[in-house]
Amino acid sequence: MKQETIVCKSIKKSFTNGGKSIEVLHDINLTTYEKEMIMLMGPSGSGKTTLLSIIGGLLDQDSGECTILGQSINQLEEDIKTEFRGKNIGFLFQHFILVPTLTAVENAVVPLLCLGAPRQEAFSRASEILEQLGLGDQLHKKPGQLSGGEQQRVALARGFIHNPAIILCDEPTSFLDIDRGKKVMDILQRMKDETNATIIVVTHDQRILPFADRIVHIEDGVITQKS
Ligand SMILES: Nc1ncnc2c1ncn2[C@@H]1O[C@H](COP(=O)(O)OP(=O)(O)O)[C@@H](O)[C@H]1O
Ligand SMILES: [Mg+2]
């Protein structure tokens, strides 16, 4: 049987806006398995980014439980949580932030160096991934010299360079044309097959749906359909 990786049970989350509390996630139940690519779809404002942030331990739920690889992540102490996240979870969020003073390859290599990988090995792995993403000529350019789509691919490389068990992507193909978008999805799919990763992709992009093992729909903070 396939191993469970993310287990969300009865997740609720509210935000306070102008003194008023609004419940954004009502009762989210979701279980994912290793070697699974899940597309999370839903209208703007339906709670997709909020859910991804809770799963990634960037945001605490108000109630319910979310376990990642058997670990209830929001109960970990802050420094242990950071270490757990760094090792096990890769992020590609919509508002990806690259370090402006570092080159593409230097940005991509950061997670490996943080985990203590030997420098030369880390840099050659970063270069290899960036080459696969079509950025072989841009390795030594800084973010300001790259297009939005190129920056997004650097952020993607940084998100999975350390082979995390969980990869969370928020609209990873939104800046990319169809060919580049498919290339990114090909790479994620290969990651999944090679490392047994669980990948959650939030997307509006119908064109990448064929890559999904499972599609989950969310609407107004409720999962409405799993297929
Ligand atoms: N930090 C926050 N403070 C207040 N409201 C928020 C915050 N983050 C998200 N929201 C609100 O929660 C709802 C869901 O947001 P979000 O998860 O970003 O939706 P999606 O990613 O599906 O577009 C939206 O109405 C949004 O305005
Ligand atoms: Mg969002």
Side-chain angles (χ1 to χ4, degrees):
M1 217 180 74
K2 274 198 175 180
Q3 196 72 34
E4 290 178 350
T5 48
I6 300 166
V7 182
C8 291
K9 281 193 187 143
S10 306
I11 297 289
K12 291 189 182 188
K13 178 71 186 172
S14 299
F15 288 115
T16 309
N17 249 341
K20 222 172 87 184
S21 173
I22 298 168
E23 195 170 271
V24 170
L25 298 177
H26 302 301
D27 182 22
I28 299 287
N29 293 288
L30 180 67
T31 301
T32 68
Y33 300 89
E34 61 180 10
K35 211 173 187 174
E36 187 174 43
M37 171 97 71
I38 293 177
M39 302 272 178
L40 180 61
M41 302 193 76
S44 183
S46 56
K48 303 182 299 294
T49 298
T50 304
L51 178 58
L52 225 51
S53 304
I54 290 172
I55 291 172
L58 301 173
L59 198 63
D60 284 343
Q61 66 271 32
D62 298 333
S63 62
E65 198 187 27
C66 187
T67 59
I68 308 293
L69 310 172
Q71 186 70 246
S72 190
I73 187 166
N74 74 334
Q75 285 171 10
L76 296 174
E77 282 183 38
E78 211 49 50
D79 50 344
I80 297 176
K81 191 202 281 190
T82 303
E83 192 185 325
F84 180 87
R85 209 166 36 211
K87 179 160 178 268
N88 297 301
I89 307 180
F91 294 94
L92 177 66
F93 271 36
Q94 241 165 334
H95 304 287
F96 55 84
I97 295 164
L98 298 173
V99 182
T101 53
L102 297 182
T103 64
V105 70
E106 288 166 346
N107 265 286
V109 84
V110 166
L112 280 182
L113 296 181
C114 287
L115 289 169
R119 212 177 151 75
Q120 205 172 353
E121 225 170 85
F123 271 91
S124 76
R125 166 115 173 102
S127 307
E128 186 191 333
I129 290 187
L130 290 174
E131 269 157 34
Q132 285 173 8
L133 288 166
L135 295 170
D137 296 336
Q138 327 270 21
L139 296 182
H140 304 295
K141 288 193 182 163
K142 293 185 177 160
Q145 302 167 290
L146 300 171
S147 72
E150 288 165 347
Q151 292 180 40
Q152 196 172 27
R153 277 177 282 151
V154 175
L156 183 69
R158 185 185 57 184
F160 65 65
I161 191 167
H162 52 307
N163 292 340
I166 311 276
I167 302 177
L168 306 174
C169 305
D170 203 348
E171 317 230 6
T173 59
S174 55
F175 289 143
L176 306 177
D177 63 33
I178 181 67
D179 285 341
R180 294 247 183 257
K182 281 194 174 145
K183 209 167 205 170
V184 163
M185 293 310 299
D186 272 332
I187 289 170
L188 285 173
Q189 190 165 48
R190 200 165 353 122
M191 276 294 291
K192 183 195 77 175
D193 292 337
E194 284 171 7
T195 69
N196 288 347
T198 299
I199 305 180
I200 301 188
V201 178
V202 166
T203 189
H204 287 292
D205 190 349
Q206 302 280 341
R207 302 172 304 185
I208 65 168
L209 291 186
F211 287 91
D213 296 314
R214 187 151 60 106
I215 300 173
V216 174
H217 293 267
I218 181 168
E219 216 160 313
D220 289 330
V222 179
I223 288 177
T224 52
Q225 188 192 333
K226 299 181 200 177
S227 49

